[in-house]
Amino acid sequence: MTPFTGELIGTMILILFGGGVVAGVALNKSKAKSGGWIVITVGWGLAVTLGVYAVGQASGAHLNPAVTIGFATIGNFPWSDVPMYLLAQMIGAILGAVIVYFHYLPHWKETEDPTAKRDVFATTPAIYNPLSNVTSEIIGTFILVLGLLSIGANEFTEGLNPLIVGALIIAIGLSLGGTTGYAINPARDLGPRIAHSFLPIPGKGPSGWKYAWIPVVGPIVGGTFGALFYKQFFLNENSITFWIVGAFVLAILLAAQFSIRKEVAQSNLQIQTAKTTND
């Protein structure tokens, strides 16, 4: 198996199990209907574990453009192979989403909510605020890549690494996933979102392209910063790139804080105006 085929198949497996667990919980007349967030996070953790087990020896099982770019940024992966990996991951994600569609074929027409159908394929924020949403994706992917590099530095009984990586995904989902659905992977969100746009899903509604940039940009920034953070503090290798990216991340965090304060001020003003009018 070539690295390209490995990344394609591994990402396909990731989306098949990950998108599949969301479909089981979200779609009407599924026996897993309303299984809840715990079921979804465990499903995604196992999806990553099984994808890594399947193709780890062939490609290293990045299965995620943010991981590939982050590793390349600190010299753990050749930049010349990055485009091939990203292409394989995108194709695999689209194929995985298409398989999920066919597996749940009779359930789409039984589900009226178009958002529930889209959630099977792509993430949706609990509260829409672009700067806050991209912040969540940065933080989630930062800890993902930092965690992967930290796990890789430890010695486990042979074959256990994928299980530990799966546990990391579950932990991120439980602790940090409630804000945006924790895409933490551009291919995981963009590939299935593309599939949603062309699949003949009854009453599917829009594919949410207004939001689509956030689960792409956020994970790439967060993954890159996570890798640079590991190099800076765990390996004690100083890098000017770390400080540049760190300043960019800090600017996003401050901008997100400002946007929330602005929304609060506007909300308070509306309440005060309404109260004055009623008086």
Side-chain angles (χ1 to χ4, degrees):
M1 182 183 292
T2 66
F4 180 88
T5 305
E7 283 299 295
L8 190 155
I9 293 175
T11 310
M12 182 183 72
I13 291 171
L14 167 67
I15 300 303
L16 174 59
F17 285 116
V21 72
V22 177
V25 170
L27 299 181
N28 288 343
K29 297 191 177 180
S30 161
K31 292 182 181 295
K33 173 70 175 174
S34 302
W37 190 245
I38 299 293
V39 171
I40 290 174
T41 55
V42 171
W44 274 107
L46 292 174
V48 171
T49 295
L50 295 170
V52 173
Y53 269 126
V55 303
Q57 291 184 341
S59 69
H62 293 183
L63 316 183
N64 182 341
V67 172
T68 300
I69 293 171
F71 283 9
T73 300
I74 62 170
N76 283 22
F77 187 74
W79 278 108
S80 59
D81 288 343
V82 169
M84 174 187 69
Y85 268 54
L86 301 191
L87 179 61
Q89 291 156 1
M90 283 297 300
I91 295 173
I94 293 172
L95 290 177
V98 171
I99 296 173
V100 171
Y101 162 75
F102 279 106
H103 183 82
Y104 284 93
L105 202 56
H107 295 267
W108 304 108
K109 63 182 178 61
E110 300 293 339
T111 305
E112 296 181 0
D113 185 0
T115 301
K117 298 175 186 179
R118 187 180 66 210
D119 285 348
V120 173
F121 297 88
T123 57
T124 302
I127 300 174
Y128 179 73
N129 180 287
L131 287 172
S132 293
N133 300 150
V134 80
T135 295
S136 291
E137 288 294 331
I138 288 173
I139 293 172
T141 319
F142 166 84
I143 201 63
L144 168 66
V145 173
L146 179 61
L148 290 175
L149 290 167
S150 300
I151 290 169
N154 287 275
E155 293 185 5
F156 296 95
T157 301
E158 186 176 358
L160 283 184
N161 286 62
L163 288 174
I164 307 303
V165 172
L168 172 63
I169 299 300
I170 294 172
I172 293 172
L174 292 176
S175 300
L176 306 173
T179 53
T180 61
Y182 78 121
I184 59 174
N185 181 340
R188 171 265 175 274
D189 191 275
L190 183 57
R193 196 182 296 270
I194 291 171
H196 177 274
S197 71
F198 67 74
L199 287 170
I201 303 168
K204 65 180 178 181
S207 298
W209 292 110
K210 179 181 178 182
Y211 180 78
W213 69 272
I214 290 172
V216 172
V217 173
I220 290 174
V221 173
T224 299
F225 189 52
L228 290 167
F229 186 93
Y230 180 84
K231 181 178 181 181
Q232 182 77 26
F233 293 104
F234 286 68
L235 302 181
N236 295 316
E237 297 180 18
N238 190 42
S239 168
I240 186 62
T241 308
F242 165 78
W243 299 105
I244 294 172
V245 176
F248 180 67
V249 170
L250 179 60
I252 293 175
L253 298 181
L254 293 175
Q257 172 68 14
F258 176 78
S259 71
I260 292 298
R261 292 183 65 179
K262 184 178 178 180
E263 286 185 0
V264 171
Q266 290 175 341
S267 178
N268 290 338
L269 179 61
Q270 291 174 352
I271 293 172
Q272 186 62 37
T273 301
K275 182 178 179 180
T276 301
T277 302
N278 291 334
D279 291 344

